[in-house]
Amino acid sequence: APSSEITIRKRNGRARASGGAVASKCSSRRRKLWIFAPTPEPASDAHRNEQQRFVRATTGALEQMATLTIVVGGVLAAVALPTMRIVATGNARGGAAMLAAALAALAVGLYPYSAFLMLSRASYALGDSRTPALVALAAGIAGAATMIVGSVVFDGVAQVAVLGVGHSVAYLVAAIALARLLSGRLGSPLRLLPAGRVAAGIVASLVAWAVVVSLPTTTRTDALVAGVLAIGIGLGGYVVFAARAGWLGSLRRMSAS
């Protein structure tokens, strides 16, 4: 009886030992699974970082675009009259003012048009092509309504100018609406109108316009001289200011890439 009791105790001891070993192995496996199991926090952080990089890239592209197109559109509007008097021939020379009004009204919409196309491509990159189409449709309807009302209310040069303004305003509204929609989707604001670049572009355009109105533009030679001086002074001053502000560095990197 004592020997059988000793044998049973030994067997129970080995069972407990083997059970403990199995439990320790299972515990170590559970620890390994816990260590290597993916958690949602790093994935959400990575997604958030990707969104932030996308916002920075889109905002940087808009700033680079604004550096060029705002001032170019403004100065082009300022020299629209001498430009049309240089290029117009025949019967068109009598309507140089009307052609200049159309050119100026469309030129000021250069940046809104470019920004809307840029934001549309950003939306495409996020897999959404429906939103830009709907925004463009709504803006097109609003622009057409503006043109219709303007053509009824105004006449002559003002009528032509309103038609161009309606086109430019439609794209400006579309760009603002699409920027707001993308900002809400990304959770970060997209800066559509960089204040410094807008202000500098307006000042350069006004300087160019002041040069044009202070010089005669009746003949082609006079128009050529006024246009060249206006572009040189307006754009030249803007380039100097932009270089001091560090805006041209991003353009160099963009052209190099």
Side-chain angles (χ1 to χ4, degrees), residues 2-28:
S3 61
S4 61
E5 184 178 352
I6 292 172
T7 303
I8 292 172
R9 287 180 179 177
K10 287 182 179 180
R11 288 178 180 175
N12 291 336
R14 284 196 299 271
R16 284 195 297 270
S18 61
V22 171
S24 63
K25 287 181 181 180
C26 292
S27 176
S28 63

Side-chain angles (χ1 to χ4, degrees), residues 11 18 23 56 89 95 98 104 112 114 120 128 136 161-162 164-165 171 190 202 204-205 212 225-226 235 249:
R11 288 178 180 175
S18 61
R56 287 194 298 269
T89 59
M98 190 173 294
S114 304
S120 297
D128 182 11
V162 168
V165 169
Y171 274 107
L190 289 172
I202 291 175
S205 303
V212 169
V225 172
L235 282 182

Side-chain angles (χ1 to χ4, degrees), residues 141-179:
I141 294 173
T146 303
M147 294 178 188
I148 292 172
V149 173
S151 64
V152 173
V153 174
F154 298 98
D155 192 13
V157 175
Q159 185 182 57
V160 176
V162 168
L163 294 178
V165 169
H167 179 273
S168 298
V169 170
Y171 274 107
L172 177 61
V173 172
I176 293 174
L178 190 54

